[in-house]
Amino acid sequence: MDLNFNKNEDHNKLLLSELRQKFAKVKLGGGEKRIEKLHAEGKMTARERIDYLLDENAKSIEIGAFAGKKMYTEHGGCPSGGVIVKIGYIKGKQCIVVANDATVKAGAWFPITAKKNLRAQEIAMENRLPIIYLVDSAGVYLPLQDEIFPDKEHFGRIFRNNAIMSSMGITQIAAVMGSCVAGGAYLPIMSDEALIVDKTGSIFLAGSYLVKAAIGESIDNETLGGATTHCEISGVTDYKAKDDKDALDKIKNIVDKIGDFDKAGYNRIKSEKPALNEKDIYGILPKARNEQYDMMEIINRLVDNSEFEAYKDGYGQSLITGYARIDGWAVGIVANQRKVVKTTKGEMQFGGVIYSDSADKATRFIANCNQKKIPLVFVQDVTGFMVGSKSEHGGIIKDGAKMVNAVSNSVVPKFTVVVGNSYGAGNYAMCGKAFDPRLIFAWPSAELAVMGGTQAAKVLAQIEASSLKGKGEIVDEAKEAELFAKIKARYDEQVSPYYAAAHLWTDAIIDPLETRTWISMGIEAANHSPIEKKFNLGVIQV
């Protein structure tokens, strides 16, 4: 191993260590004291509930662990968006589980909480996965009600999705394991089956204090909307559980009896590990985001037996396209080549840039994968499309549009891995969040922005310097350097993978060695949902 490899390895392992430390903190939710208080009430935490519900020793993946990071600081923060979402297995059946974290503002809904819940429902609808809700929430966080209540992507959309999923035949099971109040009371009742935990679970449109204020009736919460009331009087809930574990056991028994599903029929054979050492990824991936490297060295450590069948290998070389298997699943891979390549015409193509011929190749390859019903995996380390008169005259906009068109209209499931840069239109063409990947996740080395931090900071610093000069202020070299440093620091924070994860622009930040698991479980989920549309590019400029 050379010195550069060792430096890269040290850097990437340091990023991984930072990721683990941040995740350990996030897992505490509202903090140890609130966890202790929950335990004193005889309740499990949201994570404990999910861990008990999911099959022991089976794989699982968590969606949006860093949602809400550094957001709502003036309100005390909202770790993980106040809700835990995992895809895993219950009695061998793949499901998605959504659990309110009562240690975070009593499980109250912040705007990011609604966005994360809607993402969970989107995953369930796209893949026709059974969805389990573990409800323990005080309802909408009132100081931010205007940001969560009235819009299309806000709180009410969740109940609309409940109804849509029911019509689609997607199993929904809800367990009320704590508070379930006001509008939130509709979620469990719009599910197929609802459970409630005795003495700790309660469902009502208005609590006892509000009832007293509204109509003058004096009544306690248990009589108003407890387990006995809803299981024996109102008939709102279907099962009464004595405690959390009993409720979760009942869910396991219900899921265990769900019938088999229609399959999309994606090709899978026996899984093989990569022939090359997966851990080499840490040393191959450069420390600096502008350094060159051979993306094939990464791909060969992600795919089964390190076997890859390249498509149009000698054409459009700034993009790698080809067929492989990941955990036995057949996949089509579209990846940014990060090394400088020389074309047969003697021209140089820079790594991470999409050229006209590359975009043309990718469009054809995506069409082929749709024709053969092969899921697509996009591996992003992209700085954007090539610029300049030669590219413009050669029709880069037209060729880029064709690629975007193909990505947009693809009917096979798409999965996106952001390993490095994800800038500008390159993010779009390589199936960014706006283009409906079934799952999109990043490595700790990822950066997402309109352009790189240094370039953007230079542009913004120049604009600000001109503005100050226009006001008559003296802007010397020292002042320009100060402006640049200030803007660069702010921009660097925004291009961080944690910033993207906080806003749910990605589903997760993961250890590169977990990539195969994410893609495999993603395709397994997608296999629940047969393709109902035909691939059609629509009108494109040829």
Side-chain angles (χ1 to χ4, degrees):
M1 298 297 176
D2 60 23
L3 182 61
N4 199 46
F5 182 98
N6 292 335
K7 286 181 178 178
N8 291 338
E9 186 177 44
D10 289 345
H11 173 73
N12 286 310
K13 285 188 174 180
L14 196 63
L15 291 180
L16 185 58
S17 175
E18 182 185 6
L19 170 63
R20 288 170 177 160
Q21 289 171 18
K22 290 179 185 294
F23 183 57
K25 186 176 180 181
V26 157
K27 286 175 71 174
L28 293 175
E32 292 180 350
K33 287 186 177 179
R34 291 181 182 173
I35 291 174
E36 290 171 6
K37 183 181 177 183
L38 211 63
H39 287 163
E41 295 171 356
K43 297 163 71 175
M44 303 164 74
T45 67
R47 290 187 179 277
E48 288 168 344
R49 287 166 176 168
I50 292 178
D51 288 345
Y52 183 84
L53 182 60
L54 296 181
D55 293 348
E56 196 173 359
N57 298 323
K59 291 180 178 179
S60 66
I61 57 178
E62 181 169 347
I63 306 295
F66 292 104
K69 182 176 173 59
K70 292 189 177 180
M71 297 169 68
Y72 317 114
T73 51
E74 68 277 23
H75 297 279
C78 188
S80 283
V83 62
I84 314 302
V85 177
K86 282 191 178 184
I87 301 174
Y89 302 88
I90 301 172
K91 294 291 185 177
K93 290 182 172 62
Q94 196 176 41
C95 302
I96 184 163
V97 185
V98 182
N100 298 116
D101 187 349
T103 69
V104 179
K105 289 284 191 293
W109 288 63
F110 284 69
I112 197 68
T113 316
K115 187 174 182 179
K116 187 169 174 179
N117 274 265
L118 289 170
R119 175 62 179 144
Q121 290 184 321
E122 180 182 43
I123 291 170
M125 286 190 284
E126 284 181 332
N127 301 292
R128 295 182 179 268
L129 277 185
I131 184 167
I132 318 297
Y133 307 101
L134 306 180
V135 184
D136 192 347
S137 171
V140 167
Y141 184 63
L142 290 178
L144 297 174
Q145 66 84 26
D146 62 318
E147 298 179 41
I148 188 173
F149 166 65
D151 211 343
K152 183 178 177 181
E153 278 74 39
H154 285 173
F155 195 53
R157 187 75 171 185
I158 290 160
F159 313 130
R160 175 263 187 194
N161 286 350
N162 285 142
I164 297 297
M165 281 191 280
S166 182
S167 71
M168 293 172 67
I170 297 170
T171 298
Q172 299 177 84
I173 301 168
V176 179
M177 310 179 83
S179 297
C180 182
V181 301
Y186 288 105
L187 185 147
I189 312 313
M190 294 188 74
S191 300
D192 301 336
E193 295 182 89
L195 306 84
I196 186 168
V197 178
D198 196 21
K199 300 297 186 286
T200 56
S202 57
I203 309 172
F204 34 67
L205 295 179
S208 55
Y209 292 122
L210 187 54
V211 168
K212 177 69 174 177
I215 64 174
E217 181 183 1
S218 296
I219 188 170
D220 63 89
N221 282 339
E222 182 64 25
T223 306
L224 180 66
T228 299
T229 294
H230 286 309
C231 286
E232 299 178 18
I233 300 173
S234 72
V236 164
T237 50
D238 306 306
Y239 307 92
K240 183 199 287 189
K242 63 182 180 182
D243 55 25
D244 281 8
K245 286 188 176 180
D246 186 37
L248 298 170
D249 284 335
K250 290 180 186 299
I251 293 173
K252 291 180 184 182
N253 291 334
I254 295 169
V255 172
D256 190 38
K257 296 171 181 64
I258 296 175
D260 203 359
F261 56 90
D262 295 334
K263 296 175 178 63
Y266 302 119
N267 185 298
R268 191 182 198 186
I269 61 173
K270 184 177 180 294
S271 175
E272 300 281 352
K273 289 186 176 181
L276 299 176
N277 189 350
E278 295 174 72
K279 293 182 180 179
D280 287 348
I281 289 172
Y282 301 131
I284 295 166
L285 197 67
K287 178 179 178 180
R289 290 273 40 87
N290 60 350
E291 286 184 29
Q292 303 289 306
Y293 66 97
D294 188 352
M295 180 62 84
M296 276 308 308
E297 294 297 325
I298 300 288
I299 292 172
N300 286 334
R301 287 160 176 83
L302 293 176
V303 300
D304 289 16
N305 210 31
S306 300
E307 293 177 348
F308 182 80
E309 186 68 35
Y311 172 83
K312 288 185 176 289
D313 193 24
Y315 177 71
Q317 294 179 70
S318 73
L319 277 179
I320 295 169
T321 53
Y323 304 103
R325 290 189 182 274
I326 293 178
D327 197 25
W329 294 103
V331 296
I333 294 176
V334 181
N336 301 110
Q337 177 56 283
R338 278 310 314 250
K339 68 177 184 179
V340 176
V341 294
K342 192 173 184 180
T343 70
T344 52
K345 296 179 181 179
E347 299 170 340
M348 305 303 291
Q349 291 193 349
F350 297 99
V353 180
I354 301 175
Y355 290 76
S356 284
D357 54 356
S358 306
D360 174 64
K361 176 171 80 169
T363 301
R364 292 166 181 256
F365 180 70
I366 291 166
N368 281 341
C369 287
N370 276 271
Q371 182 86 349
K372 295 195 283 283
K373 206 160 71 171
I374 299 173
L376 285 159
V377 175
F378 293 83
V379 185
Q380 287 195 7
D381 194 346
V382 58
T383 53
F385 285 89
M386 191 59 190
V387 296
S389 61
K390 186 175 181 180
S391 292
E392 298 293 358
H393 297 170
I396 184 66
I397 295 176
K398 178 179 65 177
D399 291 320
K402 286 192 291 187
M403 182 177 173
V404 169
N405 199 313
V407 173
S408 303
N409 287 298
S410 180
V411 296
V412 295
K414 300 167 291 193
F415 302 90
T416 303
V417 191
V418 186
V419 308
N421 303 323
S422 180
Y423 297 156
N427 169 281
Y428 301 155
M430 291 295 292
C431 198
K433 183 67 183 290
F435 290 80
D436 294 329
R438 296 293 176 98
L439 294 171
I440 177 170
F441 47 95
W443 291 358
S445 49
E447 291 186 357
L448 292 86
V450 172
M451 65 174 71
T454 301
Q455 299 94 318
K458 284 180 180 178
V459 172
L460 293 170
Q462 288 170 5
I463 292 170
E464 191 161 336
S466 296
S467 176
L468 291 173
K469 288 176 182 177
K471 295 175 183 176
E473 294 189 32
I474 298 173
V475 181
D476 55 17
E477 286 187 11
K479 182 65 175 178
E480 286 181 349
E482 180 189 336
L483 286 173
F484 174 79
K486 181 181 177 182
I487 293 170
K488 178 75 162 58
R490 186 177 72 237
Y491 202 89
D492 283 348
E493 183 178 350
Q494 292 177 353
V495 304
S496 160
Y498 295 98
Y499 192 89
H503 293 80
L504 288 173
W505 301 338
T506 60
D507 291 317
I509 306 169
I510 69 165
D511 180 344
L513 302 189
E514 296 173 355
T515 302
R516 284 169 53 84
T517 296
W518 271 74
I519 293 171
S520 177
M521 288 188 66
I523 299 175
E524 183 182 352
N527 205 35
H528 286 69
S529 182
I531 297 173
E532 296 175 348
K533 292 169 59 181
K534 287 187 177 181
F535 177 65
N536 186 342
L537 276 178
V539 178
I540 59 171
Q541 297 284 344
V542 178

